Amino acid sequence: MRRRNFLLLSGGGLAAAGLAACGGSGGGGGEGGGSEVEVFTWWAQGSEKAGLDALVAQFEKDYPDLTFVNGSVAGGAGSAAKDMLQSRLQAGDPPDTFQAHAGLELADYVDAGQLEDVSDLYEEYGLTEAFPSDLVELLTLDDMIYSVPSNIHRSNVVWTNTAVLEAAGIDPTAVPADVEAFIADVEKAAASGVAGLSIGTTWTQVNLLEAVLMADLGSEAYNGLWTGGTDWSGGEVTTALEHFEALIALTNTDRDGLDWTDATQMQIDGSAAYSVMGDWAVASFQQAEMTDGEDYGYFPLSGGEPIFGFLADSFTLPVGAPNPDGAKAWLDTISSQEGQVAFSLAKGSIPARTDVDTAEFPAYQQTAIESYAQDAISPSLAHGAATPVAWLNDISDATSKFTTGASDVSGYQEELATIAESHASA
Amino acid sequence: MILPSILLIGIFVYGLLGVNFWTSMTDNHSAAQASGREPVAFVGLTNYLDLLLTEDFRHSLANLVLFTAAFLVGAMAIGFVWAWLLERPLPGGRLFQTVYLFPMAVSFVASGVVWRWLLNSNQGENASGLNRLFQMVGLDFLQNPWWNNITFGILAIALPAIWQLSGYVMALFLAGFRGVPDELREAARMDGASEWQVYRMVIFPQLTPVLMSAIVIIAHMSLKSFDLIMSISSASAYQTKVPAVDMFLFKSGFDYANSAAVGAFLLIIIAFLIVPYLVQQHRSRTR
């Protein structure tokens, strides 16, 4: 009898938990109401949180009737948030708007019919003129636009520690003409007893790979890798992969256990000369109270042609959002001149609009703003602008295999070509 | 009276298992199919065969086997020896029990963060973590790249797993030792058995059920040690790939069919362990 009672109790407990779970998700959708706007991000700390706070302040000024609801999910550089978002969209319980990297990362949500076309808003808010045409083109999938960028980041930046370079006998102001010249410099730096190039876990290695590919192939051929115009098994890709191999050989051996912040910290500590990282790294140098130009330097990795490796944080309008008007208000704020400036100043990025006053931006951002207006813009691979998620996952796997030494250049290239083939046909 | 729990478990465990097996036998490989915008077709065992034919998945399986073997043998051996030592009255025995059992209270993610640092792969001048410790005590030859070795790297991740679960195995075995009535030991001693013979002939045979349940618990923990691996290494790191990580990656790439197929593989593997255990349990109960 006792055992039965126990089973009954445990069954009852399970039932209660199940009901509570259903009630929770159902209630979440209902509460959205007319005045609350749930904004889903993975900006929970550091400069990202500061940027979000700046946006919220602007939003409350623009739309005092609406209440901002913070739906941020912390952890794993966004992977925890993306996983949760995927389940919520699948379950028909979308937030009012969510953060995503602009570009093909959105393709999966679009294919699943989970995003609304927001091209009307581009007309309404006058964004088509405010954003450079290259950018609008990158954001367009099948004549439709599914997201509004809040800012722009650059992915192909080489960061240097000036003191370490000088100690190795390298002129810190000279910019190497191409990847080979860069490798020669890294070798020279490594010979002085530090790590030539500091790097972290797989995605930072993919970030390096993309920078090398951009520099070696040029913007047109690089973009062709994703659209089918460039052959992955071609000779120029081989050269780029050989360069990548040479650079990886000059990096710290504990790379797979580090994140990008640890890799940048190595430079700040003076135990590494170079790193290739997106321009959010500038915040780390600033926090370490290093002086731009004196203590650290930067230049885009280039093979002659100036290329801006692009990624953008952007916001969307999901199908079935409980408060679509609120979401549109949020999109208005983040795309407005004030919103873009406030956010980028706090987060360390640059505005996507070209018609804002950029005088108060610090020195690094000034150079980025200048190249953004002039250079060819190429989508970042590591940050979801160039490919759908599954393609990037496969490239990450192949890259990890290569950098741990489980495959050689030819095997790696073969794998990349196979991956491209399977995803291009899918 | 027991109907509610049967119903709930029927739906939420066995029903969903069925859904998983069904999904694993479809061609549901894209976001459009996952959301029902495009049709999903039945493809039988194709996904399973395709997975087995890819070298990367076989690498994951090999890693899983290595990890499970090291984890099982390590945790069993250490846990058993501790239990054996603590079984006899010992000053401060309670304290040791607590000390050994304590790591189990730490979550895999929390200990993973610490072990990630301890298992730093740098050697020589830049060494840190355990490699640095070896250097300081003059055992330089023990320095190694830990989990960054392509073939055996996964064994390094078994170290924290063993560290964490040995205490639990000890507790299981201690309970087993305590469950052997003193009368039996006394009787054996009266019959002239040496202390070793008492253990070998009287106590160890009675520990078999404990051993079996310990093996099943550790083995299924090993299949689930996704969190430990992810917090020490990362999702795409080739060195430490196991099927659980593949399952996660497939899911995040909207490839639900392959994700379900990997999950089914894990279930089948654990069934190989648990079914014989259940059969044995059943036999011993009905005997």
Side-chain angles (χ1 to χ4, degrees):
Chain A
M1 203 53 211
R2 249 200 192 153
R3 183 179 291 184
R4 282 210 178 161
N5 278 337
F6 174 73
L7 282 171
L8 185 67
L9 275 175
S10 63
L14 278 173
L19 285 175
C22 296
S25 59
E31 283 159 20
S35 69
E36 291 189 342
V37 186
E38 188 195 354
V39 179
F40 186 99
T41 66
W42 59 82
W43 296 331
Q45 56 191 353
S47 60
E48 300 182 326
K49 178 77 170 66
L52 182 63
D53 289 343
L55 276 181
V56 173
Q58 186 63 37
F59 181 62
E60 281 166 356
K61 218 188 285 171
D62 291 348
Y63 293 94
D65 303 341
L66 294 172
T67 319
F68 166 85
V69 178
N70 190 348
S72 68
V73 173
S79 65
K82 283 178 200 168
D83 223 47
M84 175 153 173
L85 180 68
Q86 202 177 330
S87 330
R88 281 188 62 178
L89 292 174
Q90 204 78 16
D93 174 34
D96 293 309
T97 176
F98 65 83
Q99 170 209 0
H101 288 130
L104 279 152
E105 190 177 286
L106 291 170
D108 291 316
Y109 301 121
V110 173
D111 285 345
Q114 289 163 338
L115 290 185
E116 301 274 9
D117 176 17
V118 291
S119 6
D120 295 350
L121 294 180
Y122 273 66
E123 300 299 320
E124 198 181 326
Y125 301 153
L127 301 178
T128 324
E129 295 81 48
F131 294 148
S133 57
D134 278 15
L135 173 64
V136 177
E137 204 173 298
L138 279 169
L139 294 174
T140 312
L141 296 165
D142 299 329
D143 293 332
M144 288 188 253
I145 306 177
Y146 295 96
S147 69
V148 179
S150 54
N151 64 323
I152 301 285
H153 276 297
R154 182 173 204 169
S155 65
N156 59 339
V157 187
V158 179
W159 302 91
T160 62
N161 180 319
T162 314
V164 176
L165 291 199
E166 274 166 356
I170 302 166
D171 175 10
T173 54
V175 175
D178 56 18
V179 181
E180 248 159 55
F182 175 59
I183 294 174
D185 280 354
V186 177
E187 267 168 359
K188 211 165 161 188
S192 75
V194 294
L197 187 68
S198 67
I199 205 164
T201 186
T202 311
W203 76 261
T204 67
Q205 298 164 18
V206 175
N207 200 115
L208 173 66
L209 171 71
E210 104 185 16
V212 172
L213 282 171
M214 271 182 209
D216 276 341
L217 270 63
S219 64
E220 207 183 314
Y222 169 84
N223 295 355
L225 290 173
W226 317 116
T227 54
T230 307
D231 185 6
W232 272 96
S233 28
E236 45 184 359
V237 176
T238 315
T239 315
L241 295 182
E242 278 162 358
H243 286 159
F244 179 63
E245 183 182 37
L247 284 170
I248 285 289
L250 297 165
T251 58
N252 43 311
T253 48
D254 60 347
R255 51 184 175 256
D256 282 319
L258 305 182
D259 207 344
W260 75 269
T261 42
D262 307 312
T264 307
Q265 191 61 41
M266 286 178 69
Q267 282 194 285
I268 292 170
D269 296 343
S271 58
Y274 291 96
S275 74
V276 176
M277 187 35 59
D279 59 8
W280 44 91
V282 75
S284 299
F285 290 107
Q286 283 161 359
Q287 274 159 22
E289 291 179 0
M290 292 172 82
T291 315
D292 190 324
E294 264 172 56
D295 300 325
Y296 69 97
Y298 41 81
F299 54 84
L301 186 62
S302 150
E305 182 197 5
I307 302 178
F308 189 98
F310 141 93
L311 65 130
D313 294 308
S314 67
F315 285 89
T316 58
L317 181 57
V319 170
N323 184 2
D325 291 332
K328 283 176 186 164
W330 175 259
L331 296 179
D332 182 26
T333 294
I334 60 128
S335 63
S336 69
Q337 296 185 338
E338 297 80 16
Q340 296 236 322
V341 171
F343 181 66
S344 284
L345 275 176
K347 196 182 175 221
S349 52
I350 64 170
R353 300 178 71 115
T354 47
D355 60 350
V356 292
D357 179 22
T358 51
E360 49 183 316
F361 279 90
Y364 166 73
Q365 271 98 321
Q366 295 291 356
T367 67
I369 289 165
E370 199 179 311
S371 340
Y372 177 60
Q374 292 170 0
D375 300 357
I377 295 181
S378 281
S380 159
L381 162 66
H383 303 281
T387 63
V389 180
W391 194 344
L392 171 59
N393 281 351
D394 286 352
I395 292 183
S396 303
D397 285 0
T399 304
S400 167
K401 208 171 159 180
F402 176 66
T403 56
T404 48
S407 60
D408 57 7
V409 169
S410 66
Y412 184 33
Q413 187 171 12
E414 216 168 283
E415 245 181 294
L416 289 173
T418 319
I419 292 166
E421 210 172 292
S422 73
H423 286 281
S425 64
Chain B
M1 285 285 269
I2 57 170
L3 195 65
S5 55
I6 288 186
L7 252 167
L8 283 164
I9 289 179
I11 296 170
F12 287 109
V13 177
Y14 297 97
L16 293 181
L17 271 182
V19 174
N20 183 70
F21 273 102
W22 167 254
T23 312
S24 70
M25 289 193 266
T26 63
D27 65 347
N28 190 347
H29 296 302
S30 71
Q33 288 168 312
S35 69
R37 275 184 117 206
E38 269 173 31
V40 171
F42 180 82
V43 294
L45 295 175
T46 318
N47 293 328
Y48 294 85
L49 293 176
D50 285 351
L51 277 174
L52 284 178
L53 286 176
T54 51
E55 196 207 323
D56 289 356
F57 187 68
R58 289 202 303 269
H59 171 75
S60 296
L61 282 177
N63 269 350
L64 180 66
V65 170
L66 274 177
F67 181 74
T68 308
F71 186 14
L72 253 182
V73 172
M76 286 296 152
I78 295 176
F80 182 79
V81 170
W82 280 349
W84 196 19
L85 292 175
L86 289 172
E87 191 240 342
R88 283 161 288 195
L90 189 79
R94 283 261 159 207
L95 177 76
F96 282 111
Q97 282 177 36
T98 319
V99 167
Y100 291 150
L101 194 56
F102 193 64
M104 205 187 79
V106 184
S107 81
F108 270 137
V109 175
S111 75
V113 171
V114 178
W115 279 91
R116 179 189 169 109
W117 177 78
L118 284 174
L119 297 177
N120 187 297
S121 61
N122 272 346
Q123 298 174 44
E125 266 180 52
N126 299 318
S128 67
L130 288 179
N131 279 348
R132 177 99 187 119
L133 186 73
F134 287 148
Q135 213 174 30
M136 280 156 65
V137 297
L139 295 169
D140 292 47
F141 62 93
L142 281 176
Q143 289 192 51
N144 68 73
W146 298 111
W147 56 270
N148 285 302
N149 181 296
I150 305 166
T151 320
F152 298 111
I154 193 76
L155 292 179
I157 305 222
L159 278 180
I162 294 170
W163 170 78
Q164 227 163 343
L165 264 295
S166 297
Y168 181 59
V169 175
M170 172 202 75
L172 287 178
F173 275 118
L174 264 181
F177 277 123
R178 302 265 151 84
V180 179
D182 277 339
E183 292 81 20
L184 284 182
R185 303 177 190 222
E186 287 307 313
R189 285 189 193 117
M190 294 291 280
D191 287 346
S194 70
E195 204 54 23
W196 169 241
Q197 279 170 324
V198 171
Y199 272 108
R200 218 179 73 80
M201 316 295 263
V202 180
I203 301 178
F204 288 165
Q206 302 204 44
L207 291 178
T208 319
V210 176
L211 178 73
M212 285 298 281
S213 29
I215 289 178
V216 169
I217 290 169
I218 298 295
H220 98 277
M221 298 270 307
S222 143
L223 290 173
K224 294 194 303 190
S225 41
F226 172 78
D227 40 3
L228 182 68
I229 291 171
M230 287 283 276
S231 49
I232 292 180
S233 173
S234 70
S236 1
Y238 180 76
Q239 312 91 307
T240 53
K241 272 261 170 81
V242 292
V245 175
D246 288 322
M247 185 165 79
F248 171 77
L249 277 177
F250 279 128
K251 197 237 152 203
S252 74
F254 297 88
D255 189 344
Y256 286 26
N258 271 336
S259 185
V262 177
F265 267 119
L266 285 176
L267 187 75
I268 294 166
I269 296 171
I270 195 70
F272 273 111
L273 276 160
I274 288 201
V275 170
Y277 170 69
L278 291 179
V279 169
Q280 186 250 355
Q281 289 269 299
H282 183 72
R283 277 214 197 113
S284 65
R285 215 172 280 161
T286 49
R287 192 161 49 203

